[in-house]
């Protein structure tokens, strides 16, 4: 199954954390990294009094179920040193979000796919559009059309992370 994963972080060295997470994704069981977007410096979302984030999107191929893949993403976060607390939208070492899993629509307590509000967030849509501008998001529309309605001026592509 083709899936897309959002990666981000703003503590420590976020570029190194994302590079490490991409390697870990590619080494995950039954999963292969197909490609990833460039890296983007983006302003924080929610809690704005924190460091800027670095964000990217990865396209993977996996035979894991969506729930197995979610567990694998959480494992990668923990191995990278992420400690989960109750601070929503707060600073983090690394964050891996399952954005899309094929054309699946999942609405469970611990997993919602497509990822909630992804279509409203430039820090997700800009790197996703770099990979698949014509991709159709279930119940949202085509990535390029959704991106046209967002302010992307604060998503700054970092050189050298193709």
């Amino acid at each position: 199954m083709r899936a897309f994963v959002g990666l981000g972080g703003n503590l420590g060295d976020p570029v190194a954390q994302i590079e490490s997470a991409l390697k870990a994704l590619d080494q995950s069981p039954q999963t292969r990294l197909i490609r990833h977007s460039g890296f983007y410096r983006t302003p924080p979302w929610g809690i704005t009094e924190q460091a800027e984030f670095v964000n990217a999107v990865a396209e993977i191929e996996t035979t894991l179920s969506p729930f197995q893949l979610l567990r694998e993403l959480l494992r990668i976060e923990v191995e990278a040193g992420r400690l989960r607390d109750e601070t929503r939208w707060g600073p983090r070492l690394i964050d891996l979000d399952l954005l899309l899993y094929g054309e699946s629509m999942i609405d469970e307590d611990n997993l919602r796919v497509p990822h909630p509000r992804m279509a409203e967030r430039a820090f997700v849509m800009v790197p996703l559009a770099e990979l698949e501008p014509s991709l159709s998001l279930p119940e949202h529309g085509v990535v390029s059309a959704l991106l046209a309605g967002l302010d992307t001026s604060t998503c700054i592509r970092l050189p050298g992370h193709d």
Side-chain angles (χ1 to χ4, degrees):
M1 179 70 62
R2 184 169 83 147
F4 290 87
V5 175
L7 303 96
N10 71 338
L11 295 177
D13 183 348
V15 168
Q17 291 288 359
I18 290 173
E19 288 171 342
S20 179
L22 288 167
K23 288 178 189 163
L25 267 175
D26 196 38
Q27 295 169 355
S28 293
Q30 302 173 52
T31 301
R32 179 177 61 92
L33 177 65
I34 297 172
R35 60 189 172 149
H36 65 83
S37 71
F39 294 7
Y40 292 84
R41 184 163 308 286
T42 63
W45 179 272
I47 299 173
T48 57
E49 297 299 319
Q50 59 180 311
E52 288 186 317
F53 278 76
V54 175
N55 292 97
V57 169
E59 179 182 1
I60 62 171
E61 184 71 31
T62 187
T63 57
L64 297 174
S65 74
F67 296 95
Q68 290 170 322
L69 181 55
L70 175 62
R71 282 193 296 276
E72 181 63 11
L73 297 178
L74 295 173
R75 182 196 65 75
I76 292 169
E77 288 181 351
V78 168
E79 284 191 3
R82 177 161 182 192
L83 302 174
R84 289 193 173 265
D85 62 16
E86 299 302 315
T87 307
R88 189 169 188 172
W89 302 315
R92 58 202 59 206
L93 206 54
I94 189 72
D95 187 32
L96 302 178
D97 290 323
L98 180 54
L99 302 174
L100 297 163
Y101 185 87
E103 296 180 12
S104 297
M105 294 182 61
I106 303 166
D107 190 1
E108 300 287 333
D109 288 340
N110 60 344
L111 180 59
R112 291 184 61 204
V113 174
H115 192 278
R117 297 170 302 284
M118 68 179 275
E120 304 163 12
R121 296 179 173 167
F123 68 86
V124 173
M125 298 305 290
V126 168
L128 181 59
E130 181 183 322
L131 296 178
E132 285 289 335
S134 62
L135 184 68
S136 182
L137 305 184
E139 294 192 345
H140 291 288
V142 175
V143 168
S144 59
L146 294 166
L147 186 63
L150 297 176
D151 176 6
T152 62
S153 65
T154 58
C155 294
I156 310 301
R157 195 171 200 280
L158 300 176
H161 300 286
D162 299 323

